[in-house]
Amino acid sequence: MFTKKETHFVVLNDLDKARAALQEALGKAERDEAPGLRRALEIVDGIGAGGDPRVRWAREVLAGQGIDPRAREVHAVKALREALPGLSLVAAVDLVRQCQAAAA
């Protein structure tokens, strides 16, 4: 998927450490703290279950700009390339199409 002209981006993910810290805190929590920690754990688990982090990033960018990738594909490609200067046209189109597939 990447060529020499392609901009690469790396997604760092420390969700396992966050999950472990929340589970430890939940184990030591007072009764009134437990519901909030359980909710935080659900949120962290939901983020980790989101699939490809590049596609998740693209969906967040498009949602933030109110762009439906199915209805406005060209605008979606442009928005991703503006959000990440150097992102190739091919990679942006691929991300938009993956967003479209995920929304279908």
Side-chain angles (χ1 to χ4, degrees):
M1 178 172 154
F2 293 112
T3 65
K4 289 184 180 182
K5 295 181 181 180
E6 183 65 39
T7 297
H8 302 264
F9 61 100
V10 178
V11 178
L12 301 177
N13 188 337
D14 285 338
L15 291 179
D16 291 334
K17 290 179 183 177
R19 186 177 295 109
L22 285 168
Q23 288 172 336
E24 182 180 338
L26 185 57
K28 298 175 183 177
E30 299 290 328
R31 186 180 188 138
D32 62 328
E33 295 174 316
L37 288 169
R38 276 197 282 286
R39 179 64 184 132
L41 194 55
E42 289 172 7
I43 291 169
V44 168
D45 287 340
I47 291 170
D52 186 345
R54 295 173 300 166
V55 176
R56 194 168 56 239
W57 169 82
R59 282 194 311 241
E60 289 173 7
V61 168
L62 297 176
Q65 295 188 25
I67 298 172
D68 179 355
R70 290 174 292 167
R72 300 178 63 206
E73 184 174 357
V74 173
H75 288 79
V77 169
K78 183 176 186 262
L80 293 182
R81 294 187 76 201
E82 287 174 351
L84 184 63
L87 183 65
S88 75
L89 178 60
V90 172
V93 169
D94 184 54
L95 286 170
V96 167
R97 291 196 176 145
Q98 288 182 55
C99 289
Q100 292 169 339

